[in-house]
């Protein structure tokens, strides 16, 4: 399978396109390894994952370059992704998983134990291939499961290098990485060995995964799309807030599930925020991620690029929206769209109602904060959201009214190993990260002892 650079549209690597029988081989290896791996203790598994993290760090140069070439992001950000991913591996393994005592009386004792499930299928998208793979690997393996992981066909190279780095750190059969197309994903999710599927990707594929899990009653965690709203109140310190908001909307060229995708700004500060956001967008150096001067790379793949151009065209033709920054592509090979800001636009447009998943942001005016919350919640998505204000207590109250899995005040984005993460509504099912997330990789067993 040929992997294309989004910056040059030229091939950067050729990787295996695993057949169904090769997948069966990986599943059989994972199934066999489960017998001994699930018997090891947390300390041993932590040690293996630490060795894995060390090996990845030793190979950072090679993995970061592969990630930039296949994904598009600037090399410094690829290095940052690897560093964060390995820090997450260590943080997950610092979480203690103990049986819970539910009752202990003279008559009886009830304990809640958590046991490994078996073979976990991991499926990842193309925006953060290393961090998303590493989080799934750490959670699945630390909790005593084995894994077969399938990266996106657009970005398999860095993930395969993670697999290579794991050799010697993690026993054979425990972690298996298979590259291939979408059909490989469907074969994997319907395999009888698979006890749990941890999927990150689009809602449409998430529905297919959920259906195929039904055949074997596989447990499922779905981390899906978002259309995150950020609500900026008139008392917000815009000198501090705007750079953070800009980063939360445009980092990784806007290709983040929990990027700010709808920016609601109070009328009193609307023009000031629009002007500053536009100035920040204009200052971005857009270019090949291998060029150290680039702040932002291309959109990762052609279909996604075309989708964004379609949304831009719709915005121009059918909305009142004013393009105040960007709005055009670079005249060179690659999928380069200037960071684009659209003001004076509202709900009812594709840009506001859909998840663009790219460097294009609508800024929407509001007068009344209750109205802003209502509009933020009037979406089928519910991944995350934020409120920006000088009054953090009021901000927390308002943020707590957002129909989302994660609500922030004066910040937006980022995943903590300790904090459960996942979506409300169509943004997902279940939670990853934190004790709640780790428990989702395990089967609870209630042990009731009569005395
Ligand atoms: P996608 O759904 O097209 O693909 C994701 C993965 O699923 C790929 O590995 C793909 O090969 C595989 N796949 C495709 N068809 C399959 C099938 N029938 N069965 C099993 N697997 C199949 O998503 P994408 O375009 O790669 O990713 C972008 C989406 O991911 C966006 O919507 C984004 O918001 C979302 N995302 C969510 C999170 C989160 O944590 N909530 C994080 C990152 C990205």
């Amino acid at each position: 399978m040929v992997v294309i650079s989004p910056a040059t549209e030229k091939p950067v690597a050729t990787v295996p396109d695993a057949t169904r029988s090769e997948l069966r081989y990986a599943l059989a290896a994972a199934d066999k390894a489960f017998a001994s791996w699930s018997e090891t203790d947390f300390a041993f598994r932590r040690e293996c994952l630490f060795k894995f993290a060390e090996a990845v760090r030793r190979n950072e140069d090679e993995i970061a370059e592969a990630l930039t070439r296949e994904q598009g992001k600037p090399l410094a950000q690829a290095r940052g992704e690897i560093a964060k991913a390995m820090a997450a591996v260590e943080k997950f393994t610092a979480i203690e998983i103990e049986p819970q005592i539910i009752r202990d009386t003279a008559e009886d004792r009830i304990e809640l134990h958590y046991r490994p499930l078996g073979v976990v299928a991991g499926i990842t998208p193309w925006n953060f291939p290393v961090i998303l793979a590493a989080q799934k690997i750490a959670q699945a393996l630390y909790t005593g499961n084995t894994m077969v992981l399938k990266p996106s066909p657009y970005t398999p190279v860095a993930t395969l290098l993670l697999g290579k780095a794991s050799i010697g750190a993690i026993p054979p059969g425990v972690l298996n990485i298979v590259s291939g197309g979408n059909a490989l994903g469907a074969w994997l999710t319907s395999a009888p060995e698979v006890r749990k599927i941890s999927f990150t990707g689009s809602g449409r594929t998430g529905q297919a995964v959920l259906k195929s899990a039904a055949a074997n009653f596989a447990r499922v965690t779905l981390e899906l799309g978002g259309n995150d709203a950020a609500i900026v109140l008139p008392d917000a310190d815009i000198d501090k807030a705007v750079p953070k908001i800009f980063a939360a909307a445009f980092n990784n060229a806007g290709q983040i599930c929990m990027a700010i995708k709808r920016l609601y700004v109070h009328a009193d500060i609307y023009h000031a925020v629009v002007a500053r956001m536009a100035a920040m967008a204009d200052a971005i150096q857009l270019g090949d991620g291998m060029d150290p001067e680039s702040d932002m790379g291309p959109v990762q793949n052609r279909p996604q690029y075309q989708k964004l151009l379609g949304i831009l065209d719709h915005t121009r033709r059918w909305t009142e929206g004013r393009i105040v920054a960007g709005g055009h592509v670079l005249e060179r090979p690659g999928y380069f769209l200037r960071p684009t800001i659209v003001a004076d636009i509202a709900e009812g447009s594709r840009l506001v109602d859909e998840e663009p998943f790219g460097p294009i942001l609508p800024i929407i005016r509001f007068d009344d904060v209750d109205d802003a919350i209502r509009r933020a919640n009037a979406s089928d998505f519910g991944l995350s959201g934020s409120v920006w204000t000088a009054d953090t207590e009021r901000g927390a109250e308002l943020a707590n009214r957002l129909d989302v899995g994660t609500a922030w005040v004066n910040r937006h984005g980022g995943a903590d190993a300790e904090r459960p993460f996942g979506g409300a509504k169509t943004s997902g099912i279940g939670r990853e990260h934190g004790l709640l997330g780790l428990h989702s990789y395990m089967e609870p067993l209630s042990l009731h002892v009569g005395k």
Side-chain angles (χ1 to χ4, degrees), residues 124-127 150 153 182 185 199-202 205 223-225 257 355:
T124 51
W126 44 257
N127 59 341
K150 190 203 87 66
N182 293 343
F199 172 81
T200 301
S202 65
T205 311
E223 299 284 359
L224 309 175
C257 53
E355 177 191 36

Side-chain angles (χ1 to χ4, degrees), residues 415-435:
D416 281 307
E418 301 90 337
R419 171 167 51 77
F421 177 74
K425 300 195 264 184
T426 66
S427 289
I429 292 184
R431 294 290 181 270
E432 299 214 306
H433 305 188
L435 190 56

Side-chain angles (χ1 to χ4, degrees), residues 40 73 306 333 367 391 425:
T40 61
K73 67 187 68 191
Q306 278 163 343
D367 293 299
D391 182 345
K425 300 195 264 184

Side-chain angles (χ1 to χ4, degrees), residues 247-310:
F250 288 102
N251 275 354
N252 212 40
Q255 301 164 120
I256 305 184
C257 53
M258 56 182 136
I260 295 176
K261 292 171 186 147
R262 294 178 289 156
L263 181 58
Y264 286 89
V265 178
H266 191 272
D268 289 356
I269 52 167
Y270 187 79
H271 289 299
V273 171
V274 168
R276 286 178 194 222
M277 290 287 289
M280 289 198 73
D282 288 339
I284 289 287
Q285 188 71 36
L286 177 67
D288 190 322
M290 293 305 291
D291 177 349
E293 298 294 308
S294 302
D295 306 315
M296 184 184 286
V299 173
Q300 199 282 322
N301 58 72
R302 178 169 282 282
Q304 183 61 21
Y305 182 58
Q306 278 163 343
K307 176 185 160 185
L308 291 167
L309 296 184

Side-chain angles (χ1 to χ4, degrees), residues 174-189:
V174 172
L175 173 63
N176 309 272
I177 298 182
V178 287
S179 56
N182 293 343
L184 181 65
W187 298 332
L188 176 58
T189 56

Side-chain angles (χ1 to χ4, degrees), residues 125-369:
W126 44 257
N127 59 341
F128 284 97
V130 170
I131 210 158
L132 292 168
Q135 287 169 346
K136 292 187 192 308
I137 292 168
Q139 293 178 97
L141 268 51
Y142 179 54
T143 49
N145 304 288
T146 58
M147 178 166 239
V148 178
L149 179 86
K150 190 203 87 66
S152 166
Y154 291 113
T155 54
V157 184
T159 314
L160 287 166
L161 291 174
L162 294 184
K164 199 171 153 196
S166 77
I167 296 168
I170 293 170
V174 172
L175 173 63
N176 309 272
I177 298 182
V178 287
S179 56
N182 293 343
L184 181 65
W187 298 332
L188 176 58
T189 56
S190 58
E193 295 88 345
V194 169
R195 305 305 331 135
K196 165 162 177 128
I197 303 161
S198 168
F199 172 81
T200 301
S202 65
R204 187 186 297 214
T205 311
Q207 284 178 317
V209 167
L210 200 52
K211 277 188 198 149
S212 96
N216 300 301
F217 295 94
R219 278 69 179 133
V220 178
T221 309
L222 301 177
E223 299 284 359
L224 309 175
N227 196 10
D228 285 11
I231 300 173
V232 190
L233 303 192
D235 67 349
D237 179 343
I238 60 175
D239 288 340
K240 281 192 189 152
V242 167
K244 290 187 196 170
I245 289 172
F246 186 86
F250 288 102
N251 275 354
N252 212 40
Q255 301 164 120
I256 305 184
C257 53
M258 56 182 136
I260 295 176
K261 292 171 186 147
R262 294 178 289 156
L263 181 58
Y264 286 89
V265 178
H266 191 272
D268 289 356
I269 52 167
Y270 187 79
H271 289 299
V273 171
V274 168
R276 286 178 194 222
M277 290 287 289
M280 289 198 73
D282 288 339
I284 289 287
Q285 188 71 36
L286 177 67
D288 190 322
M290 293 305 291
D291 177 349
E293 298 294 308
S294 302
D295 306 315
M296 184 184 286
V299 173
Q300 199 282 322
N301 58 72
R302 178 169 282 282
Q304 183 61 21
Y305 182 58
Q306 278 163 343
K307 176 185 160 185
L308 291 167
L309 296 184
I311 290 178
L312 196 55
D313 184 55
H314 182 272
T315 303
R316 279 207 173 92
R317 280 172 196 257
W318 301 107
T319 76
E320 305 280 305
R322 262 185 322 122
I323 295 173
V324 295
H328 59 272
V329 303
L330 299 191
E331 293 302 323
R332 53 160 290 175
Y335 316 131
F336 291 96
L337 172 61
R338 283 288 318 166
T340 299
I341 294 190
V342 181
D344 300 338
I345 189 163
E347 296 83 355
S349 56
R350 283 192 64 193
L351 178 57
V352 176
D353 297 348
E354 293 181 18
E355 177 191 36
F357 211 63
I360 170 163
L361 177 75
I363 308 188
I364 308 152
R365 191 191 318 248
F366 73 88
D367 293 299
D368 171 59
V369 70

